[in-house]
Amino acid sequence: MTNNTVSSTGRVLGAGLRALLVLTLVCGVLYPLAVTGAAQALFSDRANGSEIKDANGRVVGSSLIGQRYDLPLKEGEESPAPDLKWFQPRPSNGLGTNSVNTQPSLLVSGATNRSGDNEELIRWVKDAKAAVVKDNSTATYRVNPTDIPPDAVTSSASGLDPHISPAYAGLQVHRVAEKNGLDVKKVEDLVKDHTTGRLLGFMGEPRVNVLELNTALRDLTGK
């Protein structure tokens, strides 16, 4: 190999190394820092996961992901019973049992993808409806089955919807008030305070974030 060839190869390698270092610095360090800085400066809440905090500043979850409020699983139970002190979200066993999710609990996000006349789906809805009536009826309040909104007995497309309708939240007020020893009017006001209206007044539907509502309830009761 001649000196000219060695020199030419060295220049190519040197140029390649410099390009690698520059691209690593720009794409691997400067750009991520700039994007992260801009996100923190302009959209810090979203950049940090849309966290919800309680009155003590403790992070309790994300406003974008629904949470269950269940009692500890007892021996012999396939799924835990709901903790009726809290507002309950939509049903979250979204996928049910299929070729992907072979367990009754929700392992991955998704919907049931069953037709409206599917016998299994109809059974799920009927069972959920009966449970809503049973769980939310109190000594002074009886749930009318005709008043049960669809989101009380069906899961969302993802199975992880953090919101419920104001109608479903309102249906739970008497039970939550009784279980926590609170005045019904105070719990009703809590729901109103955490009800979000339609975007720009006409897009979407009014909704209640269950985690935000239960966090406020926990702060109110001191539990």
Side-chain angles (χ1 to χ4, degrees):
M1 182 180 295
T2 66
N3 290 335
N4 288 338
T5 301
V6 173
S7 177
S8 177
T9 302
R11 287 195 298 271
V12 171
L13 291 175
L17 181 59
R18 288 192 296 273
L20 175 62
L21 292 174
V22 170
L23 290 173
T24 300
L25 178 64
V26 172
C27 299
V29 179
L30 298 180
Y31 178 74
L33 286 176
V35 171
T36 301
Q40 289 294 332
L42 301 175
F43 314 102
S44 61
D45 177 63
R46 296 180 183 179
N48 291 325
S50 300
E51 297 172 339
I52 293 178
K53 299 180 180 179
D54 61 16
N56 297 319
R58 183 173 63 95
V59 176
V60 296
S62 170
S63 64
L64 304 177
I65 301 176
Q67 292 187 16
R68 296 293 308 168
Y69 293 84
D70 295 325
L71 296 170
L73 186 66
K74 296 180 180 179
E75 186 176 352
E77 288 183 337
E78 292 186 359
S79 57
D83 189 342
L84 299 180
K85 296 193 304 293
W86 307 105
F87 286 92
Q88 292 296 315
R90 298 183 66 169
S92 62
N93 59 337
L95 285 175
T97 301
N98 55 35
S99 59
V100 176
N101 181 28
T102 58
Q103 302 297 322
S105 59
L106 183 68
L107 298 181
V108 292
S109 173
T112 57
N113 199 31
R114 285 167 168 77
S115 63
D117 60 354
N118 180 273
E119 292 184 2
E120 188 175 29
L121 178 61
I122 293 173
R123 176 173 56 80
W124 286 349
V125 170
K126 286 182 176 179
D127 289 346
K129 193 170 185 178
V132 168
V133 172
K134 177 178 178 293
D135 290 344
N136 292 282
S137 293
T138 69
T140 58
Y141 173 76
R142 175 71 181 177
V143 174
N144 187 337
T146 60
D147 293 335
I148 297 176
D151 61 303
V153 296
T154 57
S155 61
S156 63
S158 68
L160 302 173
D161 192 347
H163 299 103
I164 57 175
S165 66
Y168 186 28
L171 185 148
Q172 301 183 61
V173 162
H174 288 265
R175 182 253 299 161
V176 170
E178 180 182 78
K179 295 291 183 181
N180 290 281
L182 296 172
D183 182 72
V184 170
K185 180 63 166 58
K186 183 172 290 188
V187 180
E188 287 177 340
D189 290 342
L190 200 66
V191 171
K192 289 180 181 178
D193 290 343
H194 290 83
T195 298
T196 303
R198 292 180 173 87
L199 183 63
L200 300 179
F202 68 94
M203 291 192 292
E205 295 294 332
R207 59 202 180 277
V208 180
N209 187 291
V210 181
L211 178 56
E212 291 180 354
L213 180 59
N214 278 333
T215 301
L217 176 63
R218 179 182 286 110
D219 294 338
L220 179 65
T221 60
K223 295 181 179 179

